[in-house]
Amino acid sequence: MNILIKQATVLLPDGTVKETDIAIEDDLIAKVGTIAPDWHIDREINATNKLVTPGLVNTHTHASMTLLRSYADDMQLMDWLQNKIWPIEAKMRKNDIYWGAMLAIAEMIKTGTTTFADMYADMEKVGEAVAETGIRAVLSRGLIGSAPNGNKALEENKELFQTYHNRADGRITVMFGPHAPYTCPPDYIKKVVKEAQSLGAEIHMHLSETIGEVENCVKEYQKSPIALMEELGLFDCGVLAAHCVHVSDEDILIMKKHDVRVAHNPGSNMKLASGIAPITKMLDAGICVGLGTDGASSNNNLDLLEELRLTTLLHKVNQYDPLAIPAAKGIQLATEYGAKAVGLPKVGKIEKGYKADLTLFDMSGTKWCPRHDIVSLLAYSANSSSVDTVLINGKIVLDKGILVTMDEERVMYEANRCAMNLLK
Amino acid sequence: MNILIKQATVLLPDGTVKETDIAIEDDLIAKVGTIAPDWHIDREINATNKLVTPGLVNTHTHASMTLLRSYADDMQLMDWLQNKIWPIEAKMRKNDIYWGAMLAIAEMIKTGTTTFADMYADMEKVGEAVAETGIRAVLSRGLIGSAPNGNKALEENKELFQTYHNRADGRITVMFGPHAPYTCPPDYIKKVVKEAQSLGAEIHMHLSETIGEVENCVKEYQKSPIALMEELGLFDCGVLAAHCVHVSDEDILIMKKHDVRVAHNPGSNMKLASGIAPITKMLDAGICVGLGTDGASSNNNLDLLEELRLTTLLHKVNQYDPLAIPAAKGIQLATEYGAKAVGLPKVGKIEKGYKADLTLFDMSGTKWCPRHDIVSLLAYSANSSSVDTVLINGKIVLDKGILVTMDEERVMYEANRCAMNLLK
């Protein structure tokens, strides 16, 4: 199918914008520029007054936790986990996982996200939701090595790989999901690495999120979590590392050496008071940093544009440097770098040969006025309510604000029902 | 006129929500609760599935600077001011001030703000815009004592008071606006204080925004800006102090002693890399803290819900305390405390006898699902696109997303035209 996006304001890979057309053939961007008059058009999108950006990439979330949005807030981390989150998670069944993921996907598409990296249990239900809805996803089974079901979970991750990797028109990638160094003992990590390597899979893991876990790791292993994972061979797989808040200069060198890619989650790190990840240092060192929302129980939404804004603002004030993470860099982290971080080299740019994952923002509201600098308006002024149309893999999944592949009312009804049942 | 807001989810002064009705008689809330059957209704608003909060209060902005939104970003403060902002401000004429204010007011009403405190030049044009549009405002003429027109500006501030104080159905309050200690020498401050006291006016001033201005003040006067202002008698007037980022424990004691009220502007302070104001210390000391957006050239929008969220997130991470500024406290700062900060004691609560300044949020979107805790959803998940209906002084100014008192298209057209002309 050929789609023409006509008279768009296009965000180019160099961070500038240009009024032009985008031609899409099947799942790919065929051309950015004036289209030959004889090119066959199946569907034309009038993009006058629309900014087209690469689809946003959410590099770290737990989609099904959206059922727990607003269930437990303003608490100390361990009180929150032990007394609220873990007990209710223990009650979640496959149906909850599915509707939680559907709610998450509805919200993500409506806020301009076209790819998300997920880690949770019963991931085949998330795979089902991804396959149905048309979104792109990188799925991993969360593995708690210290739990009684640690080996079973690892088996499930393998099955997930066999069932879903590269499926749904290639929209799904499967990674292995060892939860964190403090929940996965060294022997277990080695087993995960071996399984991942035998399948050629990459790894998605939480690393150095809180100061406490880093201190405990140093106490137990005389090494930082990053150094410990290096020693265990984890970084011989491609690794997407979530958080990396408390990393030393030595850790950054190790991460760079092994091309570890980082999912930065400013909203979650701020809300849980975990700390501020030194991402400008990482970026200066040449490490790839993408942005993530984390789960909706610690954020509390899946709106990547909010993370983009938080990233630009937080690092400026943290470093007393108003030039830290300028507008265009923030957008690059949310798109191109995010796609690289989750291991998708042909996603995240508006360029010939890239996947047609695109977000169209309607620039007609007051927040887009006056229009001195469109890149700055997106990063610092607009919000996700400007998201008008979204394409993923060359297919329209949001059309003028309406979800095409999902029944939004039903999703909210079922998700709410599941959420309320969990409280019983 | 009697308005009944029916079956609303009402945010009560204690931070809880309750499904009930609100009766409005003229400009006041007449009752919160079930209405007597014989009460005459002129207009009924069906508020099923709507959260009704006190209207948001923007305690510090420069409305007409909205014309400069996205004109100059990602720059060092003095480079930004000297090479971009001040030269273009010097070109602004009364027409620019008016349309800039109109654009700001349109955006504020659409994002749920019902009162704003403003400081700029040609403020009679802002007064005109406020009178026409129905918003509530606290206006002050920005006074640069060190400028050649310092005395003329002071005269203009007096005229503004005489023309606009308590006018427009009492919606306008006029304060004096000495810009800052570093732009107003001591003798000038004394003159301003004398004029303000003779009229019974309060004062709106920038105080201790950057570390540099505090250091310079200490060098020149051997005193912090706060201590210097105390010595000059400024705090004998009621004072709304914007920023207060770099204040010591001694400064906080002085502020408490004189009941100085603070406008906290987290977005602007982060974007300009000014620093993080110690507002939890101030709140603990019993100081009133409201929230502000600052001007749209350093934010870059006038969306107070964003400032609310930033406030809750920023202070948690800054203090490594996930309980700092919980959801309900953030909302209180944005409403009740904001109203107190700008000197309006009968604004900012949904309670009998208070001004009928109300914002209705539509809770039907994915960001409001599931609904475990509505207060948390407002603070941490929703955004201003949920604002559905706004009442100010008992009058509907936004009706299901449509501005009632303004022609939004015309405002954007004129504001954009003014903005582009300034660049010529």
Side-chain angles (χ1 to χ4, degrees), chain B residues 1-30:
Chain B
M1 170 138 156
N2 285 2
I3 299 178
L4 178 63
I5 303 181
K6 187 86 187 150
Q7 284 181 318
T9 302
V10 180
L11 181 70
L12 300 173
D14 67 0
T16 64
V17 294
K18 185 182 167 187
E19 285 206 21
T20 189
D21 303 336
I22 302 172
I24 296 165
E25 290 178 358
D26 298 324
D27 57 333
L28 297 179
I29 296 169

PDB file of all heavy atoms in Angstrom, chain B residues 1-30:
ATOM      1  N   MET B   1     -27.257  35.663  38.573  1.00  0.00           N
ATOM      2  CA  MET B   1     -27.509  34.413  37.825  1.00  0.00           C
ATOM      3  C   MET B   1     -27.154  33.204  38.680  1.00  0.00           C
ATOM      4  O   MET B   1     -26.113  33.172  39.335  1.00  0.00           O
ATOM      5  CB  MET B   1     -26.647  34.427  36.549  1.00  0.00           C
ATOM      6  CG  MET B   1     -26.638  33.105  35.809  1.00  0.00           C
ATOM      7  SD  MET B   1     -26.761  33.343  34.020  1.00  0.00           S
ATOM      8  CE  MET B   1     -26.035  31.845  33.428  1.00  0.00           C
ATOM      9  N   ASN B   2     -28.047  32.216  38.677  1.00  0.00           N
ATOM     10  CA  ASN B   2     -27.829  30.986  39.444  1.00  0.00           C
ATOM     11  C   ASN B   2     -27.394  29.850  38.522  1.00  0.00           C
ATOM     12  O   ASN B   2     -28.090  29.535  37.564  1.00  0.00           O
ATOM     13  CB  ASN B   2     -29.137  30.552  40.130  1.00  0.00           C
ATOM     14  CG  ASN B   2     -29.457  31.417  41.336  1.00  0.00           C
ATOM     15  OD1 ASN B   2     -28.725  32.373  41.644  1.00  0.00           O
ATOM     16  ND2 ASN B   2     -30.527  31.086  42.025  1.00  0.00           N
ATOM     17  N   ILE B   3     -26.245  29.274  38.834  1.00  0.00           N
ATOM     18  CA  ILE B   3     -25.756  28.136  38.047  1.00  0.00           C
ATOM     19  C   ILE B   3     -25.664  26.916  38.953  1.00  0.00           C
ATOM     20  O   ILE B   3     -25.130  26.998  40.069  1.00  0.00           O
ATOM     21  CB  ILE B   3     -24.368  28.434  37.433  1.00  0.00           C
ATOM     22  CG1 ILE B   3     -24.444  29.637  36.484  1.00  0.00           C
ATOM     23  CG2 ILE B   3     -23.817  27.215  36.703  1.00  0.00           C
ATOM     24  CD1 ILE B   3     -23.128  30.045  35.864  1.00  0.00           C
ATOM     25  N   LEU B   4     -26.182  25.793  38.470  1.00  0.00           N
ATOM     26  CA  LEU B   4     -26.052  24.547  39.224  1.00  0.00           C
ATOM     27  C   LEU B   4     -25.073  23.623  38.500  1.00  0.00           C
ATOM     28  O   LEU B   4     -25.274  23.311  37.316  1.00  0.00           O
ATOM     29  CB  LEU B   4     -27.411  23.857  39.351  1.00  0.00           C
ATOM     30  CG  LEU B   4     -27.374  22.512  40.091  1.00  0.00           C
ATOM     31  CD1 LEU B   4     -26.934  22.698  41.537  1.00  0.00           C
ATOM     32  CD2 LEU B   4     -28.732  21.817  40.045  1.00  0.00           C
ATOM     33  N   ILE B   5     -24.023  23.227  39.196  1.00  0.00           N
ATOM     34  CA  ILE B   5     -23.112  22.215  38.656  1.00  0.00           C
ATOM     35  C   ILE B   5     -23.532  20.889  39.281  1.00  0.00           C
ATOM     36  O   ILE B   5     -23.423  20.687  40.481  1.00  0.00           O
ATOM     37  CB  ILE B   5     -21.632  22.548  38.968  1.00  0.00           C
ATOM     38  CG1 ILE B   5     -21.291  23.937  38.406  1.00  0.00           C
ATOM     39  CG2 ILE B   5     -20.717  21.499  38.370  1.00  0.00           C
ATOM     40  CD1 ILE B   5     -19.867  24.368  38.629  1.00  0.00           C
ATOM     41  N   LYS B   6     -24.051  20.014  38.438  1.00  0.00           N
ATOM     42  CA  LYS B   6     -24.814  18.847  38.893  1.00  0.00           C
ATOM     43  C   LYS B   6     -23.961  17.574  38.832  1.00  0.00           C
ATOM     44  O   LYS B   6     -23.270  17.338  37.833  1.00  0.00           O
ATOM     45  CB  LYS B   6     -26.022  18.726  37.951  1.00  0.00           C
ATOM     46  CG  LYS B   6     -27.040  17.679  38.337  1.00  0.00           C
ATOM     47  CD  LYS B   6     -28.063  18.208  39.310  1.00  0.00           C
ATOM     48  CE  LYS B   6     -28.953  17.084  39.806  1.00  0.00           C
ATOM     49  NZ  LYS B   6     -29.457  17.306  41.154  1.00  0.00           N
ATOM     50  N   GLN B   7     -24.039  16.764  39.882  1.00  0.00           N
ATOM     51  CA  GLN B   7     -23.375  15.451  39.917  1.00  0.00           C
ATOM     52  C   GLN B   7     -21.891  15.526  39.598  1.00  0.00           C
ATOM     53  O   GLN B   7     -21.352  14.728  38.827  1.00  0.00           O
ATOM     54  CB  GLN B   7     -24.070  14.487  38.954  1.00  0.00           C
ATOM     55  CG  GLN B   7     -25.385  14.002  39.532  1.00  0.00           C
ATOM     56  CD  GLN B   7     -26.079  13.024  38.622  1.00  0.00           C
ATOM     57  OE1 GLN B   7     -26.111  13.217  37.410  1.00  0.00           O
ATOM     58  NE2 GLN B   7     -26.649  11.981  39.207  1.00  0.00           N
ATOM     59  N   ALA B   8     -21.259  16.484  40.200  1.00  0.00           N
ATOM     60  CA  ALA B   8     -19.825  16.680  39.987  1.00  0.00           C
ATOM     61  C   ALA B   8     -19.016  15.816  40.954  1.00  0.00           C
ATOM     62  O   ALA B   8     -19.500  15.422  42.010  1.00  0.00           O
ATOM     63  CB  ALA B   8     -19.475  18.144  40.209  1.00  0.00           C
ATOM     64  N   THR B   9     -17.783  15.505  40.553  1.00  0.00           N
ATOM     65  CA  THR B   9     -16.809  14.957  41.488  1.00  0.00           C
ATOM     66  C   THR B   9     -16.019  16.164  41.977  1.00  0.00           C
ATOM     67  O   THR B   9     -15.257  16.762  41.220  1.00  0.00           O
ATOM     68  CB  THR B   9     -15.898  13.953  40.763  1.00  0.00           C
ATOM     69  OG1 THR B   9     -16.723  12.930  40.194  1.00  0.00           O
ATOM     70  CG2 THR B   9     -14.899  13.337  41.713  1.00  0.00           C
ATOM     71  N   VAL B  10     -16.259  16.548  43.227  1.00  0.00           N
ATOM     72  CA  VAL B  10     -15.757  17.840  43.716  1.00  0.00           C
ATOM     73  C   VAL B  10     -14.525  17.647  44.595  1.00  0.00           C
ATOM     74  O   VAL B  10     -14.519  16.830  45.512  1.00  0.00           O
ATOM     75  CB  VAL B  10     -16.855  18.570  44.530  1.00  0.00           C
ATOM     76  CG1 VAL B  10     -16.342  19.913  45.041  1.00  0.00           C
ATOM     77  CG2 VAL B  10     -18.105  18.760  43.676  1.00  0.00           C
ATOM     78  N   LEU B  11     -13.482  18.403  44.313  1.00  0.00           N
ATOM     79  CA  LEU B  11     -12.290  18.397  45.165  1.00  0.00           C
ATOM     80  C   LEU B  11     -12.544  19.345  46.332  1.00  0.00           C
ATOM     81  O   LEU B  11     -12.646  20.560  46.151  1.00  0.00           O
ATOM     82  CB  LEU B  11     -11.062  18.846  44.375  1.00  0.00           C
ATOM     83  CG  LEU B  11      -9.766  18.842  45.173  1.00  0.00           C
ATOM     84  CD1 LEU B  11      -9.314  17.404  45.482  1.00  0.00           C
ATOM     85  CD2 LEU B  11      -8.657  19.578  44.424  1.00  0.00           C
ATOM     86  N   LEU B  12     -12.648  18.781  47.512  1.00  0.00           N
ATOM     87  CA  LEU B  12     -12.967  19.576  48.698  1.00  0.00           C
ATOM     88  C   LEU B  12     -11.695  20.190  49.299  1.00  0.00           C
ATOM     89  O   LEU B  12     -10.579  19.749  48.997  1.00  0.00           O
ATOM     90  CB  LEU B  12     -13.676  18.683  49.725  1.00  0.00           C
ATOM     91  CG  LEU B  12     -14.998  18.070  49.228  1.00  0.00           C
ATOM     92  CD1 LEU B  12     -15.542  17.076  50.243  1.00  0.00           C
ATOM     93  CD2 LEU B  12     -16.021  19.179  48.951  1.00  0.00           C
ATOM     94  N   PRO B  13     -11.857  21.202  50.147  1.00  0.00           N
ATOM     95  CA  PRO B  13     -10.681  21.869  50.739  1.00  0.00           C
ATOM     96  C   PRO B  13      -9.758  20.921  51.520  1.00  0.00           C
ATOM     97  O   PRO B  13      -8.570  21.186  51.634  1.00  0.00           O
ATOM     98  CB  PRO B  13     -11.304  22.913  51.666  1.00  0.00           C
ATOM     99  CG  PRO B  13     -12.629  23.217  51.066  1.00  0.00           C
ATOM    100  CD  PRO B  13     -13.109  21.908  50.491  1.00  0.00           C
ATOM    101  N   ASP B  14     -10.287  19.799  52.020  1.00  0.00           N
ATOM    102  CA  ASP B  14      -9.423  18.884  52.776  1.00  0.00           C
ATOM    103  C   ASP B  14      -8.644  17.921  51.871  1.00  0.00           C
ATOM    104  O   ASP B  14      -7.963  17.016  52.349  1.00  0.00           O
ATOM    105  CB  ASP B  14     -10.237  18.109  53.823  1.00  0.00           C
ATOM    106  CG  ASP B  14     -11.236  17.139  53.191  1.00  0.00           C
ATOM    107  OD1 ASP B  14     -11.296  17.071  51.936  1.00  0.00           O
ATOM    108  OD2 ASP B  14     -11.947  16.459  53.934  1.00  0.00           O
ATOM    109  N   GLY B  15      -8.767  18.092  50.552  1.00  0.00           N
ATOM    110  CA  GLY B  15      -7.998  17.256  49.629  1.00  0.00           C
ATOM    111  C   GLY B  15      -8.686  15.964  49.228  1.00  0.00           C
ATOM    112  O   GLY B  15      -8.149  15.192  48.440  1.00  0.00           O
ATOM    113  N   THR B  16      -9.887  15.727  49.755  1.00  0.00           N
ATOM    114  CA  THR B  16     -10.652  14.550  49.343  1.00  0.00           C
ATOM    115  C   THR B  16     -11.616  14.937  48.222  1.00  0.00           C
ATOM    116  O   THR B  16     -11.834  16.123  47.962  1.00  0.00           O
ATOM    117  CB  THR B  16     -11.466  13.959  50.516  1.00  0.00           C
ATOM    118  OG1 THR B  16     -12.435  14.940  50.924  1.00  0.00           O
ATOM    119  CG2 THR B  16     -10.567  13.625  51.692  1.00  0.00           C
ATOM    120  N   VAL B  17     -12.187  13.912  47.557  1.00  0.00           N
ATOM    121  CA  VAL B  17     -13.191  14.201  46.527  1.00  0.00           C
ATOM    122  C   VAL B  17     -14.522  13.596  46.942  1.00  0.00           C
ATOM    123  O   VAL B  17     -14.564  12.607  47.668  1.00  0.00           O
ATOM    124  CB  VAL B  17     -12.782  13.652  45.137  1.00  0.00           C
ATOM    125  CG1 VAL B  17     -11.561  14.371  44.596  1.00  0.00           C
ATOM    126  CG2 VAL B  17     -12.554  12.163  45.181  1.00  0.00           C
ATOM    127  N   LYS B  18     -15.589  14.195  46.442  1.00  0.00           N
ATOM    128  CA  LYS B  18     -16.939  13.775  46.813  1.00  0.00           C
ATOM    129  C   LYS B  18     -17.873  14.048  45.644  1.00  0.00           C
ATOM    130  O   LYS B  18     -17.763  15.089  45.001  1.00  0.00           O
ATOM    131  CB  LYS B  18     -17.372  14.607  48.037  1.00  0.00           C
ATOM    132  CG  LYS B  18     -18.707  14.228  48.631  1.00  0.00           C
ATOM    133  CD  LYS B  18     -19.032  15.165  49.790  1.00  0.00           C
ATOM    134  CE  LYS B  18     -20.493  15.028  50.202  1.00  0.00           C
ATOM    135  NZ  LYS B  18     -20.879  16.027  51.213  1.00  0.00           N
ATOM    136  N   GLU B  19     -18.773  13.121  45.372  1.00  0.00           N
ATOM    137  CA  GLU B  19     -19.763  13.379  44.315  1.00  0.00           C
ATOM    138  C   GLU B  19     -20.895  14.189  44.896  1.00  0.00           C
ATOM    139  O   GLU B  19     -21.605  13.738  45.801  1.00  0.00           O
ATOM    140  CB  GLU B  19     -20.287  12.054  43.747  1.00  0.00           C
ATOM    141  CG  GLU B  19     -19.261  11.423  42.841  1.00  0.00           C
ATOM    142  CD  GLU B  19     -19.872  10.512  41.791  1.00  0.00           C
ATOM    143  OE1 GLU B  19     -21.079  10.636  41.485  1.00  0.00           O
ATOM    144  OE2 GLU B  19     -19.118   9.675  41.277  1.00  0.00           O
ATOM    145  N   THR B  20     -21.082  15.377  44.373  1.00  0.00           N
ATOM    146  CA  THR B  20     -22.145  16.236  44.890  1.00  0.00           C
ATOM    147  C   THR B  20     -22.423  17.362  43.892  1.00  0.00           C
ATOM    148  O   THR B  20     -21.923  17.358  42.778  1.00  0.00           O
ATOM    149  CB  THR B  20     -21.775  16.769  46.293  1.00  0.00           C
ATOM    150  OG1 THR B  20     -22.897  17.425  46.853  1.00  0.00           O
ATOM    151  CG2 THR B  20     -20.595  17.722  46.248  1.00  0.00           C
ATOM    152  N   ASP B  21     -23.247  18.324  44.311  1.00  0.00           N
ATOM    153  CA  ASP B  21     -23.595  19.458  43.451  1.00  0.00           C
ATOM    154  C   ASP B  21     -22.942  20.731  43.991  1.00  0.00           C
ATOM    155  O   ASP B  21     -22.591  20.820  45.170  1.00  0.00           O
ATOM    156  CB  ASP B  21     -25.115  19.653  43.429  1.00  0.00           C
ATOM    157  CG  ASP B  21     -25.851  18.407  42.961  1.00  0.00           C
ATOM    158  OD1 ASP B  21     -25.240  17.590  42.244  1.00  0.00           O
ATOM    159  OD2 ASP B  21     -27.039  18.247  43.323  1.00  0.00           O
ATOM    160  N   ILE B  22     -22.822  21.707  43.113  1.00  0.00           N
ATOM    161  CA  ILE B  22     -22.344  23.030  43.538  1.00  0.00           C
ATOM    162  C   ILE B  22     -23.341  24.068  43.033  1.00  0.00           C
ATOM    163  O   ILE B  22     -23.648  24.106  41.839  1.00  0.00           O
ATOM    164  CB  ILE B  22     -20.950  23.352  42.959  1.00  0.00           C
ATOM    165  CG1 ILE B  22     -19.923  22.294  43.375  1.00  0.00           C
ATOM    166  CG2 ILE B  22     -20.488  24.747  43.390  1.00  0.00           C
ATOM    167  CD1 ILE B  22     -18.576  22.443  42.678  1.00  0.00           C
ATOM    168  N   ALA B  23     -23.817  24.895  43.936  1.00  0.00           N
ATOM    169  CA  ALA B  23     -24.735  25.981  43.545  1.00  0.00           C
ATOM    170  C   ALA B  23     -23.974  27.294  43.549  1.00  0.00           C
ATOM    171  O   ALA B  23     -23.251  27.603  44.500  1.00  0.00           O
ATOM    172  CB  ALA B  23     -25.898  26.057  44.524  1.00  0.00           C
ATOM    173  N   ILE B  24     -24.152  28.052  42.464  1.00  0.00           N
ATOM    174  CA  ILE B  24     -23.470  29.338  42.330  1.00  0.00           C
ATOM    175  C   ILE B  24     -24.518  30.434  42.223  1.00  0.00           C
ATOM    176  O   ILE B  24     -25.453  30.335  41.416  1.00  0.00           O
ATOM    177  CB  ILE B  24     -22.575  29.330  41.075  1.00  0.00           C
ATOM    178  CG1 ILE B  24     -21.459  28.298  41.234  1.00  0.00           C
ATOM    179  CG2 ILE B  24     -21.992  30.712  40.799  1.00  0.00           C
ATOM    180  CD1 ILE B  24     -20.741  27.960  39.956  1.00  0.00           C
ATOM    181  N   GLU B  25     -24.375  31.455  43.060  1.00  0.00           N
ATOM    182  CA  GLU B  25     -25.253  32.630  42.955  1.00  0.00           C
ATOM    183  C   GLU B  25     -24.386  33.822  42.615  1.00  0.00           C
ATOM    184  O   GLU B  25     -23.502  34.204  43.403  1.00  0.00           O
ATOM    185  CB  GLU B  25     -26.011  32.854  44.260  1.00  0.00           C
ATOM    186  CG  GLU B  25     -27.068  31.776  44.497  1.00  0.00           C
ATOM    187  CD  GLU B  25     -27.826  31.919  45.824  1.00  0.00           C
ATOM    188  OE1 GLU B  25     -27.498  32.844  46.597  1.00  0.00           O
ATOM    189  OE2 GLU B  25     -28.705  31.089  46.078  1.00  0.00           O
ATOM    190  N   ASP B  26     -24.600  34.385  41.424  1.00  0.00           N
ATOM    191  CA  ASP B  26     -23.754  35.483  40.926  1.00  0.00           C
ATOM    192  C   ASP B  26     -22.284  35.055  40.951  1.00  0.00           C
ATOM    193  O   ASP B  26     -21.948  34.039  40.368  1.00  0.00           O
ATOM    194  CB  ASP B  26     -24.026  36.763  41.726  1.00  0.00           C
ATOM    195  CG  ASP B  26     -25.481  37.193  41.548  1.00  0.00           C
ATOM    196  OD1 ASP B  26     -26.014  37.015  40.439  1.00  0.00           O
ATOM    197  OD2 ASP B  26     -26.078  37.659  42.525  1.00  0.00           O
ATOM    198  N   ASP B  27     -21.437  35.786  41.669  1.00  0.00           N
ATOM    199  CA  ASP B  27     -19.997  35.487  41.623  1.00  0.00           C
ATOM    200  C   ASP B  27     -19.545  34.514  42.702  1.00  0.00           C
ATOM    201  O   ASP B  27     -18.367  34.187  42.778  1.00  0.00           O
ATOM    202  CB  ASP B  27     -19.196  36.794  41.732  1.00  0.00           C
ATOM    203  CG  ASP B  27     -19.540  37.565  42.996  1.00  0.00           C
ATOM    204  OD1 ASP B  27     -20.687  37.414  43.491  1.00  0.00           O
ATOM    205  OD2 ASP B  27     -18.669  38.286  43.518  1.00  0.00           O
ATOM    206  N   LEU B  28     -20.476  34.032  43.527  1.00  0.00           N
ATOM    207  CA  LEU B  28     -20.070  33.251  44.697  1.00  0.00           C
ATOM    208  C   LEU B  28     -20.585  31.808  44.698  1.00  0.00           C
ATOM    209  O   LEU B  28     -21.633  31.515  44.122  1.00  0.00           O
ATOM    210  CB  LEU B  28     -20.575  33.937  45.977  1.00  0.00           C
ATOM    211  CG  LEU B  28     -20.023  35.326  46.275  1.00  0.00           C
ATOM    212  CD1 LEU B  28     -20.653  35.860  47.555  1.00  0.00           C
ATOM    213  CD2 LEU B  28     -18.493  35.314  46.403  1.00  0.00           C
ATOM    214  N   ILE B  29     -19.846  30.946  45.364  1.00  0.00           N
ATOM    215  CA  ILE B  29     -20.326  29.594  45.641  1.00  0.00           C
ATOM    216  C   ILE B  29     -21.343  29.703  46.777  1.00  0.00           C
ATOM    217  O   ILE B  29     -21.006  30.162  47.877  1.00  0.00           O
ATOM    218  CB  ILE B  29     -19.155  28.667  46.036  1.00  0.00           C
ATOM    219  CG1 ILE B  29     -18.195  28.516  44.853  1.00  0.00           C
ATOM    220  CG2 ILE B  29     -19.677  27.312  46.506  1.00  0.00           C
ATOM    221  CD1 ILE B  29     -16.877  27.835  45.201  1.00  0.00           C
ATOM    222  N   ALA B  30     -22.598  29.326  46.481  1.00  0.00           N
ATOM    223  CA  ALA B  30     -23.659  29.459  47.484  1.00  0.00           C
ATOM    224  C   ALA B  30     -23.780  28.203  48.331  1.00  0.00           C
ATOM    225  O   ALA B  30     -24.132  28.257  49.507  1.00  0.00           O
ATOM    226  CB  ALA B  30     -24.993  29.748  46.790  1.00  0.00           C
TER     227      ALA B  30
END
